[in-house]
Amino acid sequence: MSAPSSSSLSIRDLHASIGDKPILKGLTLDIPKGEVHAIMGKNGAGKSTLAKIMAGHPDYTVTSGDVLLDGESILGIEPDVRARLGLFLAFQYPMEIPGVTIANFIRAALQARLPEGEELEATDYYAKLYSKMDALSVPRNFTSRSVNEGFSGGEKKRCEILQMAMLEPSYAVLDETDSGLDIDALKIVSAGVNALRGPNIGMLVITHYQRLLDYIVPDKVHVMSEGRIIHSGDKDLALKLEAEGYDWVEKEYSAGKSAV
Amino acid sequence: MSISTSFPAEIATSSTLNHWPEWFRKDQQEAWEIFQSLRQPKRTDEPWRFANLKAIDLSDFHAAVPVQDAASLITRSSAHTSLAAKLIFANEVLIHNDQAGLPAGVLLLPLEEAAKNHEELFRKSFMTSEVRLGSKKFAALHRAHLRSGAFVYVPQGVVIEKPIEIWHWVEGENTTIFPHTLIVLGEGASATVIDHFVSSREERSLAIAVNDLTLGTNAKLHYVGVQDWSDKATAFHINTTEVEKQAVSTALQMNLGGAYIRGESDSHLLGEESRSVMLSINPASGTREIDQRTFQDHFAPRATSDLLYHNALADSSRTIFAGLIKVEEAAHETDAYQKVRNLMLSDEAEANSMPGLEILADNVRCTHGATSGELNEDELFYMMARGIPPKQAAQLIVRGFFGTVLERLENEDLQAHLGEILDRKLNLNV
């Protein structure tokens, strides 16, 4: 196990449970800034749970291990503080918030990042918001619509990426961002994500299907099973998983374990 | 110097009353007798179920005297930036009257002037309906002591684009005022009227406010009451709305202040395909009590009434809602909706909801319901995951909860304006 880089999102031997039920069982993963990693795995492998635990969802308890953001532990820190430290979670099922407009929502999120007493500059804010919306093909009148209310699946996911573009996180976890998208929506969302790639951000893309990784090409692919990473490889691993399924990885992993 | 002893003498001697015509002064004397003959409400009276009857003991209140510094209240009467007209009353005295932006033919007058110079119009629409929701006694007191108020008449076909703003200030410990707004829209006329109810200082006071909204055929009215009395105030807000054929009334009451607020809203759907939208936004905190009774009374076929009341209850605040939809025999194909939502922000708060339905016609569509719930944890987590601290997140959710009521106004400018007022005022413990 390599030492966590000071410029990475680093998950060290993480164990977590919901109630009495263990979900993560010693998961280790290091996502350096500038890289895009993908986690693939069957339903029930714990992928979405991992995303929620990193964001600090109150339903889950971390029993051991650590999550380090640029070398500092974020466990025990409130979800909003984690977000302001630079962590972003694109939700698989974004919440609808009746009566709260997208413009006011993102504005509140940006305002929360400013020092006390400092006001967000409205003109600059809207200029930036509109340019990001245009890039994601989100109609401008969406600013006055309530967050996610009545949105199609594709609109919700575009709205998640819009928030990510506005908040400029250092690390982003994208939880099944492809679910519920048709191919056109998938292309738009992927282009939006790719536009944000760069040396100042590390991304973790959680997906069920290899399809997304045709558009968001990862630097590394990890296979998750029963709460652990059981195999890692380059982008070609995704293609192999698509063609051959997960059984061979699980077999290899079991064999490796019994050999130890 | 309480209401029960000194008021009649003041009626007789007050110089301000000389502005009223003789016939109205006789009316006032009769109303005073009615007030005296009616007993105080009891808890066993159906319209006062769950009500806090201690709060409506009026014995400490006395009549208003003119305010000391009218100029400063005029300065403080500043809300909407683009208006058709503005009237400001302070302790029932008209202190400001700007109507430069009104189209020709519109009458915007102090009530006593309307009674004198437009007697027929006035008589036809001034408190003509019986007060049926419990406050008959207090409406009689209002009528007996009324000194002034706003009279708005928009003649046939005239459309006023910008809002008319009316301010009602109260000043002085234990002072009583009787604000009144009377709106008459002729056939096809259209107007937006915003009533602001405000206290000049953090004092105990009593307001018994009445508004009569009368809409002729095809008329369109947006009426908003922005109630922002001091947190020590007791207030009655008694409304009657009469909607003729194909007319649309949209009335919103925002209760942002007050210690005890009793609201009564009575909509008469008189004409075919008429429509009455009844809205209320109620942020309740501290020990505030907001007691609202409503009536959606359908007399004509194919009319619609749509009530949406949102209460957010913090601390040990209390709300009561009792609403009745009645579909009279002739009112076939009625659409009537009634929805009350209580957002509970504290374990000490208490919301009472009593929706009701009485249907005497065929082929009608009526739904009614009341729900109570707490802040949604998943929404909170979602907002926190964006970096918004939990307190701000909760306040945004509450603001959104009220925003969904504002969305019912078919006037974006008005929505934005009232949204800003809410943003300034909303500071609940969440």
Side-chain angles (χ1 to χ4, degrees):
Chain A
M1 200 184 291
S2 61
S5 154
S6 65
S7 199
S8 72
L9 176 60
S10 188
I11 305 161
R12 321 302 300 170
D13 194 27
L14 194 64
H15 291 72
S17 52
I18 182 161
D20 292 335
K21 191 185 170 205
I23 309 242
L24 300 186
K25 302 166 186 169
L27 188 137
T28 294
L29 190 61
D30 201 46
I31 304 142
K33 255 189 200 158
E35 291 187 13
V36 174
H37 289 211
I39 287 188
M40 300 185 71
K42 290 182 188 169
N43 274 338
K47 304 189 298 293
S48 286
T49 300
L50 171 65
K52 286 183 189 157
I53 286 170
M54 281 196 280
H57 196 287
D59 286 355
Y60 301 93
T61 313
V62 172
T63 47
S64 69
D66 211 344
V67 179
L68 306 168
L69 198 141
D70 291 337
E72 299 286 331
S73 175
I74 56 169
L75 292 185
I77 294 179
E78 288 300 310
D80 59 310
V81 181
R82 295 185 194 198
R84 295 198 296 276
L85 286 171
L87 184 67
F88 181 89
L89 169 61
F91 281 60
Q92 182 180 4
Y93 303 110
M95 294 302 302
E96 297 184 2
I97 309 175
V100 177
T101 65
I102 289 181
N104 284 346
F105 179 56
I106 298 178
R107 190 181 186 145
L110 285 170
Q111 181 68 47
R113 286 161 169 80
L114 296 178
E116 196 149 326
E118 206 173 300
E119 278 288 319
L120 196 66
E121 215 289 299
T123 322
D124 294 349
Y125 167 64
Y126 275 98
K128 186 176 171 185
L129 182 62
Y130 286 142
S131 86
K132 304 284 185 195
M133 290 175 84
D134 293 349
L136 282 161
S137 306
V138 176
R140 288 190 175 190
N141 63 12
F142 266 55
T143 53
S144 58
R145 286 183 59 180
S146 294
V147 176
N148 295 318
E149 200 180 37
F151 286 20
S152 69
E155 286 168 343
K156 282 183 181 170
K157 296 303 170 76
R158 268 185 276 167
C159 190
E160 291 293 287
I161 304 308
L162 171 66
Q163 291 169 43
M164 176 171 148
M166 289 299 288
L167 299 177
E168 299 174 335
S170 345
Y171 299 98
V173 179
L174 279 61
D175 187 11
E176 308 241 357
T177 293
D178 51 336
S179 69
L181 296 190
D182 61 31
I183 193 71
D184 292 328
L186 182 66
K187 282 180 182 169
I188 293 170
V189 166
S190 304
V193 172
N194 287 330
L196 299 174
R197 286 176 84 153
N200 297 319
I201 185 168
M203 291 191 201
L204 180 61
V205 178
I206 294 172
T207 182
H208 204 64
Y209 298 105
Q210 182 270 336
R211 188 181 70 155
L212 175 68
L213 306 181
D214 286 343
Y215 298 97
I216 304 173
V217 180
D219 298 296
K220 278 195 179 145
V221 175
H222 308 277
V223 179
M224 188 168 174
S225 175
E226 291 182 32
R228 301 177 187 90
I229 300 297
I230 58 167
H231 191 83
S232 298
D234 62 14
K235 63 179 165 45
D236 295 334
L237 175 59
L239 295 170
K240 191 170 175 191
L241 290 168
E242 178 77 1
E244 300 176 23
Y246 291 94
D247 288 353
W248 65 271
V249 201
E250 282 169 3
K251 268 182 203 143
E252 265 184 35
Y253 179 72
S254 308
K257 258 204 324 197
S258 53
V260 171
Chain B
M1 291 292 284
S2 71
I3 280 179
S4 49
T5 59
S6 71
F7 262 73
E10 284 165 12
I11 287 181
T13 58
S14 170
S15 62
T16 56
L17 280 168
N18 295 337
H19 300 299
W20 287 100
E22 192 51 39
W23 61 264
F24 188 77
R25 295 171 70 173
K26 239 181 244 159
D27 267 13
Q28 291 203 300
Q29 197 53 51
E30 272 169 38
W32 174 250
E33 281 153 21
I34 292 170
F35 169 71
Q36 286 180 312
S37 72
L38 294 171
R39 63 165 171 77
Q40 274 290 106
K42 286 198 274 197
R43 204 140 182 183
T44 47
D45 298 341
E46 184 58 30
W48 295 91
R49 245 180 108 192
F50 297 112
N52 175 2
L53 296 177
K54 243 194 243 160
I56 55 163
D57 172 4
L58 310 183
S59 51
D60 291 339
F61 294 105
H62 54 70
V65 295
V67 299
Q68 289 162 353
D69 185 1
S72 84
L73 296 185
I74 294 170
T75 311
R76 286 167 68 189
S77 303
S78 158
H80 202 286
T81 47
S82 177
L83 293 171
K86 189 191 305 198
L87 293 189
I88 305 173
F89 296 90
N91 282 4
E92 311 192 278
V93 177
L94 182 65
I95 59 170
H96 179 86
N97 183 350
D98 172 10
Q99 38 183 284
L102 282 183
V106 175
L107 299 176
L108 177 63
L109 303 168
L111 269 180
E112 63 276 21
E113 209 175 307
K116 231 178 347 195
N117 301 331
H118 305 274
E119 185 182 329
E120 199 192 325
L121 256 181
F122 180 93
R123 279 181 184 273
K124 232 165 55 186
S125 44
F126 176 82
M127 297 185 82
T128 47
S129 303
E130 191 194 345
V131 174
R132 309 188 283 181
L133 298 176
S135 285
K136 194 170 183 173
K137 181 176 173 72
F138 307 106
L141 184 64
H142 171 98
R143 191 176 187 134
H145 289 288
L146 186 69
R147 295 192 200 183
S148 191
F151 178 83
V152 183
Y153 171 69
V154 186
Q156 182 176 350
V158 174
V159 173
I160 311 177
E161 300 283 354
K162 293 176 180 174
I164 294 171
E165 206 174 75
I166 302 161
W167 291 75
H168 309 271
W169 288 92
V170 65
E171 183 172 295
E173 190 70 16
N174 290 337
T175 291
T176 306
I177 63 167
F178 300 94
H180 198 112
T181 297
L182 170 54
I183 302 171
V184 180
L185 300 189
E187 187 176 337
S190 169
T192 299
V193 179
I194 307 170
D195 261 335
H196 286 272
F197 301 97
V198 257
S199 306
S200 81
R201 299 189 288 251
E202 197 55 34
E203 290 170 321
R204 186 169 181 266
S205 61
L206 170 66
I208 299 177
V210 172
N211 67 67
D212 312 298
L213 315 178
T214 307
L215 288 81
T217 300
N218 222 1
K220 197 168 179 188
L221 174 69
H222 272 99
Y223 171 81
V224 183
V226 183
Q227 181 277 106
D228 192 13
W229 302 119
S230 105
D231 288 340
K232 296 177 184 169
T234 295
F236 294 75
H237 289 265
I238 301 165
N239 152 267
T240 307
T241 302
E242 297 189 341
V243 199
E244 291 291 350
K245 190 177 171 185
Q246 292 176 335
V248 183
S249 164
T250 307
L252 164 66
Q253 178 73 10
M254 291 166 69
N255 288 309
L256 309 176
Y260 172 85
I261 302 298
R262 168 87 180 190
E264 296 180 11
S265 193
D266 189 353
S267 257
H268 303 237
L269 285 300
L270 299 178
E272 285 182 34
E273 295 172 42
S274 58
R275 180 173 164 84
S276 178
V277 182
M278 304 158 76
L279 308 170
S280 193
I281 288 175
N282 301 302
S285 60
T287 55
R288 178 175 301 153
E289 295 194 26
I290 303 174
D291 179 353
Q292 294 175 300
R293 316 278 163 155
T294 66
F295 201 171
Q296 296 157 259
D297 202 353
H298 284 254
F299 294 94
R302 293 180 298 285
T304 306
S305 64
D306 192 354
L307 179 146
L308 181 66
Y309 278 28
H310 278 192
N311 306 321
L313 295 93
D315 309 323
S316 52
S317 60
R318 210 167 158 252
T319 61
I320 300 166
F321 172 85
L324 179 63
I325 295 172
K326 186 174 181 190
V327 182
E328 310 283 352
E329 274 175 38
H332 304 297
E333 295 174 65
T334 284
D335 275 342
Y337 309 99
Q338 185 191 84
K339 184 86 196 172
V340 180
R341 291 195 181 93
N342 302 307
L343 179 56
M344 309 304 292
L345 302 171
S346 151
D347 293 339
E348 266 85 67
E350 178 191 323
N352 304 282
S353 307
M354 297 170 280
L357 204 54
E358 188 182 338
I359 300 175
L360 307 174
D362 301 323
N363 196 13
V364 302
R365 189 164 47 187
C366 295
T367 65
H368 68 160
T371 59
S372 287
E374 292 169 13
L375 286 170
N376 182 318
E377 293 293 330
D378 291 328
E379 287 176 28
L380 274 176
F381 176 68
Y382 182 63
M383 296 175 102
M384 287 173 75
R386 296 296 172 258
I388 303 171
K391 192 174 164 69
Q392 271 97 306
Q395 289 193 336
L396 259 183
I397 291 173
V398 174
R399 173 65 179 80
F401 176 65
F402 291 137
T404 56
V405 178
L406 291 182
E407 283 167 14
R408 295 291 185 94
L409 302 172
E410 286 171 26
N411 179 332
E412 281 184 22
D413 172 66
L414 190 60
Q415 278 180 26
H417 172 58
L418 299 173
E420 282 165 22
I421 290 175
L422 261 186
D423 287 339
R424 276 201 302 275
K425 274 299 291 188
L426 213 54
N427 189 22
L428 295 177
N429 283 322
V430 284

